[in-house]
Amino acid sequence: MKIKFLLILTSLFFCLNSCSKDDNEVAATLEAPIANAPKEVVDNGFRAKWNYVSNSKSYLLDVSTNENFTSFVSGYESKPVTDLNEVVVGLTAGTQYFYRVRAKNETEISGYSNVISVVTTGLSGIPEDPTFLKVKANKVANPFFVGMAVKAAQLTSGSGYDIILKNEFSSISAEYEMKMDPISTASGVYNWAAADKIVAYGNANGINVHGHALVWHNAVPNWLKDFSGTDAEFALEVKKYITDVVTHYAGKVKSWDVVNEAADDNGGNMRNTIFLQRMGPNYIKDCFQWARDAANAAGDTSLLLFYNDYATSTNIPKQDRVFTIVDDLKASNLIDGIGFQMHNTYLSPTKAQIETDLNRAVTKGLKIHISELDIQVNQSNDISTFTNERRLAQKEKYKEIVKIYNALPAANKYALTVWGMKDNESWIPYSTELNHVGNDWPLLYDSNFAVKSSHTGFLEGLD
Ligand code: 9MR
């Protein structure tokens, strides 16, 4: 009897044991996923991420503007996702969001993951430093001008441009209205209207005026392109133009780019321009000499003469060519400074490349004008909106170049000029010249005159 009882007990124990085992297999609870920090946070979204949960088939994603998930971003309440991440889109810039996930299979839904907080960023979402550029640039140990490229039509009193220019900038360059083609309509015939307006604006408002540019192969008026006289007569036309323009603005314009972009992009050669063809290899020196003579004759003995070019930091044969040109001018005591245009990108040139380039001018005792600064963020056309990643990369690049410039010896500083105010009016987006097929955001202000992070980066470069 005792033995029978023991047997019943034993079998009951085994039965219970195996029964509970079966139960476990059927009711294996799905673990809650672990949500990870988001990636690719941009103005209007982010990529939410989480870890794999064994036996799960999909995940349910919640996105909310409140930590307790009492409401959900439209489309993101238990949104089924089969991957381990999801790009959340359509959000508002500068706003805090929360996300969490649950794992799911045919029969079960797990508990909630941890909650991740993420703040989207955007032009209006991030408070930028409102300090005025020139105010801060005037307070550094060795101050310099902060320049802006302008067009005459922008200078109407009370306009957005006018207010920002007066507040923030201490130098102006004409974006195109002081070039030869708009000014020189025929031999000895000049249209001064737009250029005069720009110069008068600078003079009236205590803003330095940099003259850009006397001789440039891309701004040759048709009458001079088609000039049928001899080469010597061609040279006389150029001399007359330089003399008349420098005389007209003597005492009103502090500096001129005398020759612009005379070095070729390939092989460190001279660019094969109409000026080289018709005036020979000494044409640059001649132009500088005529500019100097005109200024002196008009009583302006402090006019600064610059040679201006682009892409010298990355193109070393071109850099060498520019410094050969400069050495030649320097040997005749005709040059005061070099304009480094700096149409850069968020990736290039590197800090070291820029420093090497500028230091060559320092060792020659020349003034340095960063003359046309802008920083592309979409040169490869891989973004369609101004993403947070590029915004921050651009900010760092602006900061870097301002820092490099500010660290130059006092004697080598002149101005750092940005090539345009608002992104939507920059020459960069869709530029056929650059083969830039997409939009871009290369400047310091957005299309509504709001300062961008690049502007904050500029200020931080002055720290
Ligand atoms: O940005 C300028 C654009 O508005 C003009 O149409 C163009 C032609 O005059 O010149 C652009 O500025 C150039 C500058 O004068 C020299 N370096 C290259 C700049 C971009 O082409």
Side-chain angles (χ1 to χ4, degrees), residues 175-176 179 212 216 260-261 341 343 372 419 427 433:
E175 191 167 349
Y176 57 82
K179 292 170 185 165
H212 172 79
W216 183 31
N260 189 38
E261 303 177 5
Q341 293 185 10
H343 295 293
E372 304 181 16
W419 206 242
W427 72 288
E433 194 181 334

Side-chain angles (χ1 to χ4, degrees), residues 362-399:
V362 171
T363 58
K364 293 177 193 307
L366 291 165
K367 292 202 182 298
I368 293 172
H369 184 195
I370 290 187
S371 54
E372 304 181 16
L373 179 63
D374 41 35
I375 299 181
Q376 298 169 48
V377 295
N378 195 25
Q379 70 276 12
S380 308
N381 195 29
D382 59 344
I383 53 173
S384 52
T385 56
F386 186 42
T387 64
N388 188 48
E389 174 230 337
R390 295 295 157 83
R391 181 177 67 81
L392 295 176
Q394 182 185 54
K395 175 183 178 184
E396 288 309 307
K397 224 49 193 161
Y398 265 99
K399 181 174 170 177

Side-chain angles (χ1 to χ4, degrees), residues 141-153:
N142 301 307
F144 57 91
F145 293 132
V146 182
M148 173 51 62
V150 298
K151 301 165 188 161

